[in-house]
Amino acid sequence: MPITATAISLNVPDPQASAEFLSRHVGYTVAMQADGFISLAAPDDAPTGTPNVIFLKTGLETFKPAHRAGSAGDGLLLAFVVDDVDGIFRAVRDAGAQVVTEPETEPWGERYFQIEDPNGIIVQFVEWV
């Protein structure tokens, strides 16, 4: 199966707010948008295969399957592996991101921190140390 691209699609109450947040703090750019829909392209310097992120307004009539049209926030982590988690932490904190978990290191070598977007999506940055 030759997959040519990958995207993550998330239902949120305010797609514009999430798109602006991911653009400002991670470097994604708007590839296309329409009423209730914003598709973001991965940053130019991202590794091949980094998924695009799509934000859909919760409750769109065109969403299928309809029984799964709720908000994406519950239990979801949008995680990015990076080389300098502490440097990125300082940059996004200083840029005004809402930090929900300060940098910490798990016993198995995962150092991470988390920020929260305006729609409650948790964005996690991870470095393996």
Side-chain angles (χ1 to χ4, degrees), residues 71-77 120-121:
S71 178
D74 294 340
L76 178 99
L77 297 175
I121 301 296

Side-chain angles (χ1 to χ4, degrees), residues 8-98:
I8 297 168
S9 182
L10 306 170
N11 290 343
V12 295
D14 185 351
Q16 187 67 41
S18 284
E20 289 173 0
F21 183 89
L22 208 58
S23 294
R24 180 173 55 250
H25 296 297
V26 186
Y28 275 72
T29 57
V30 174
M32 98 179 62
Q33 70 184 84
D35 188 32
F37 164 88
I38 300 175
S39 177
L40 299 177
D44 289 338
D45 60 353
T48 301
T50 299
N52 291 352
V53 177
I54 299 166
F55 292 107
L56 300 173
K57 184 166 180 60
T58 305
L60 282 178
E61 291 181 19
T62 56
F63 186 89
K64 297 204 172 51
H67 72 279
R68 294 289 183 205
S71 178
D74 294 340
L76 178 99
L77 297 175
L78 184 56
F80 297 99
V81 177
V82 297
D83 290 331
D84 180 13
V85 78
D86 292 298
I88 292 170
F89 168 73
R90 288 187 296 276
V92 298
R93 179 199 58 204
D94 294 351
Q98 180 184 347

